[in-house]
Amino acid sequence: MKNQTQKNHGKSYMHLTNYSLNKYSSDFVRSEEESEGSKRTVTSVMKTLEMLGHDTDQIWTSIKDIVFKTLICIAPLTKVEQLNIDNFKANNTQHFHLLGFDILLDEDLNPFLLEINGFPSMRTDSEIYDSEMQKTTVPSPVDEKVKKIALKGALHILFKHKVDDSYCPVVGPEISDDRKPYLIFEDCRNLFILFLKKTTLRKGSMLGSSGFRSFVRSCKVLKIIPGVTNADMDLLYINIIQQSDQSSQKCLSFLSFYRLVLTLAVKKFPEESRYLALKQFIDLCFANYTNGNKNTTLT
């Protein structure tokens, strides 16, 4: 591996790892074997690293941690959109979306997330260009092997979830304690959907002013944070919307709702970390909502 210098920094084939770019390089080596050539399976790469004496289990653990933290942030958003697609009938259909994670290992084999491909290519052929730049497509055994496994795995998860609602390979009962704080996004998503369902469907996955006021009233937010008025809440609602990409719709997306709840949580628990403040505030909201008919308010 060569470091970037003033002489080589313009060599895109050297510094950019994209297959879509490097396949045009004269140095690109095509092979039908997964452990040879310029495009290989991650399994073969890990075997090579293991033979060189590196701890591949630790590398995989670090990569999985990156994927987990990314997915746990994405999951609430996709679930909100699923409700919108299914007209709030989450069990009506089954959806899945394949994502491609581009992971770069540095010289110390520490993984870094470069980007996420929302629509990774499922092609199983390669493009070859002759000296006159005429394109020919040929089968790619490596692509076929990898992408068949990916699709088979996705369908297995989908089927497993269909017959067992408790099954989830990312968020499940086996989740480790050090990862549980990331589930706060799920808690906030559940709170958002609770009031999304109580309002008209015309706004889709957006929470309008009536839904927001229902949240303030049902969760007794004014009693949780003494001194805050309905006028203060209306101003906060307007300010959060103006800071978002949905300002023209005058509604709260899930991300806007999350920022609003975080603002209230920090105001209620200024001495706590953001996570603990958010966790305690959401717990109070659910408790007050549940106890609403019992005339019990938790602060």
Side-chain angles (χ1 to χ4, degrees):
M1 183 178 71
K2 296 181 180 179
N3 293 324
Q4 181 176 342
T5 65
Q6 287 186 340
K7 291 183 178 180
N8 66 32
H9 79 277
K11 296 181 179 180
S12 55
Y13 293 136
M14 174 182 176
H15 301 296
L16 298 177
T17 59
N18 308 58
Y19 165 70
S20 59
L21 175 67
N22 273 275
K23 64 185 179 182
Y24 296 114
S25 173
S26 58
D27 295 326
F28 190 88
V29 178
R30 289 174 173 79
S31 174
E32 295 187 359
E33 300 296 328
E34 63 177 284
S35 59
E36 299 176 359
S38 299
K39 189 174 188 179
R40 308 183 184 187
T41 64
V42 68
T43 303
S44 70
V45 172
M46 288 298 176
K47 285 182 179 179
T48 300
L49 291 175
E50 188 174 10
M51 290 174 58
L52 294 173
H54 298 291
D55 186 354
T56 54
D57 287 338
Q58 180 56 48
I59 296 174
W60 269 123
T61 298
S62 299
I63 292 175
K64 289 179 180 179
D65 195 53
I66 289 175
V67 174
F68 170 84
K69 291 175 180 177
T70 303
L71 292 181
I72 203 63
C73 293
I74 295 175
L77 296 171
T78 57
K79 289 180 180 179
V80 168
E81 290 305 315
Q82 179 182 338
L83 290 177
N84 187 28
I85 294 171
D86 291 340
N87 200 22
F88 297 123
K89 295 179 182 178
N91 295 323
N92 189 35
T93 56
Q94 295 289 326
H95 311 280
F96 74 95
H97 191 150
L98 286 175
L99 299 174
F101 283 73
D102 286 356
I103 303 291
L104 177 69
L105 299 179
D106 67 9
E107 58 186 359
D108 296 319
L109 300 181
N110 296 311
F112 290 87
L113 177 63
L114 287 181
E115 66 175 357
I116 303 172
N117 295 316
F119 299 96
S121 172
M122 287 289 107
R123 293 183 59 174
T124 58
D125 55 12
S126 297
E127 298 175 346
I128 297 178
Y129 292 82
D130 58 25
S131 58
E132 298 179 354
M133 294 305 291
Q134 295 297 314
K135 180 174 69 174
T136 304
T137 57
V138 295
S140 171
V142 174
D143 277 314
E144 183 175 356
K145 177 178 180 179
V146 171
K147 291 168 184 178
K148 276 186 176 179
I149 292 174
L151 283 173
K152 182 179 179 180
L155 293 173
H156 172 73
I157 293 172
L158 191 68
F159 175 77
K160 188 76 173 176
H161 180 68
K162 188 174 183 179
V163 298
D164 180 6
D165 288 339
S166 65
Y167 176 78
C168 183
V170 177
V171 183
E174 75 284 355
I175 188 171
S176 58
D177 290 338
D178 63 315
R179 290 180 171 183
K180 287 182 179 179
Y182 292 94
L183 297 181
I184 193 64
F185 297 107
E186 284 284 307
D187 296 337
C188 192
R189 189 271 305 187
N190 291 334
L191 187 64
F192 177 74
I193 288 180
L194 180 64
F195 293 97
L196 193 66
K197 288 184 176 182
K198 292 168 68 68
T199 59
T200 176
L201 303 183
R202 287 183 292 114
K203 293 184 175 63
S205 57
M206 308 285 285
L207 189 67
S209 57
S210 61
F212 171 70
R213 292 192 179 106
S214 177
F215 155 70
V216 174
R217 182 175 60 256
S218 300
C219 294
K220 300 179 174 59
V221 175
L222 302 187
K223 292 186 178 181
I224 292 178
I225 310 177
V228 173
T229 65
N230 281 316
D232 294 329
M233 296 303 299
D234 287 342
L235 284 174
L236 177 61
Y237 174 82
I238 293 171
N239 288 336
I240 292 292
I241 289 178
Q242 289 178 341
Q243 296 169 17
S244 71
D245 296 331
Q246 292 82 27
S247 57
S248 61
Q249 301 185 44
K250 299 181 180 179
C251 298
L252 291 171
S253 65
F254 168 68
L255 287 178
S256 295
F257 180 78
Y258 170 79
R259 285 192 288 267
L260 185 146
V261 171
L262 179 59
T263 300
L264 294 173
V266 172
K267 186 173 182 64
K268 171 63 179 178
F269 303 104
E271 302 301 322
E272 300 285 6
S273 66
R274 287 193 168 194
Y275 162 69
L276 288 178
L278 196 57
K279 180 73 170 64
Q280 293 179 67
F281 182 81
I282 291 177
D283 286 346
L284 285 175
C285 287
F286 276 119
N288 285 339
Y289 179 84
T290 302
N291 294 322
N293 296 326
K294 300 177 182 179
N295 296 320
T296 302
T297 303
L298 302 178
T299 59

